[in-house]
Amino acid sequence: MSYVVELALFKLKEGVREEDFLHVSDKFQKGFIKLQKGYIKRELLVSGQTWADYIVWETMEDAQNAAAAFRTDKYAIEYMGCFQQPSVSLNHYLVLSNV
């Protein structure tokens, strides 16, 4: 069975404290992500100044629909407001093998 991994990489805006960002991320998780069709799991990762939002979806269509809904959702807009915009990259990967 295949599934889709969404990987967003970003840096926080200067002045955004980690604990404040984690609170915003929790609201985003509860108010948007976990309510989306096809959502399986999400992990928030950090290495130095670079953060990664790792989300697993059932299908590419589910991932793309969530990405489209993201643009107008109040929790998503607040979440994105914490990012340095030039630092953001988003990709979707179809997982073909899980070894």
Side-chain angles (χ1 to χ4, degrees), residues 26-93:
D26 188 52
K27 290 193 317 185
F28 172 61
Q29 172 68 22
K30 292 174 183 171
F32 179 75
I33 290 293
K34 78 174 198 172
L35 304 176
Q36 300 304 301
K37 179 184 178 300
Y39 167 74
I40 297 174
K41 75 174 187 172
R42 175 177 177 239
E43 296 176 358
L44 189 59
L45 316 166
V46 66
S47 176
Q49 299 294 313
T50 303
W51 292 75
D53 204 340
Y54 174 91
I55 305 173
V56 180
W57 302 98
E58 289 179 11
T59 68
M60 185 64 76
E61 182 179 13
D62 293 334
Q64 291 171 340
N65 287 340
F70 180 95
R71 294 183 197 113
T72 58
D73 179 80
K74 70 178 184 176
Y75 298 106
I77 291 168
E78 181 183 20
Y79 185 64
M80 276 291 285
C82 296
F83 302 172
Q84 291 179 16
Q85 291 310 312
S87 73
V88 179
S89 71
L90 173 70
N91 290 290
H92 291 109
Y93 304 90

Side-chain angles (χ1 to χ4, degrees), residues 6-25:
E6 175 179 308
L7 185 62
L9 301 174
F10 56 91
K11 293 181 179 180
L12 297 181
K13 282 182 180 174
E14 196 166 316
V16 175
R17 297 181 323 156
E18 183 175 312
E19 57 266 25
D20 294 334
F21 174 65
L22 292 175
H23 177 72
V24 170
S25 176

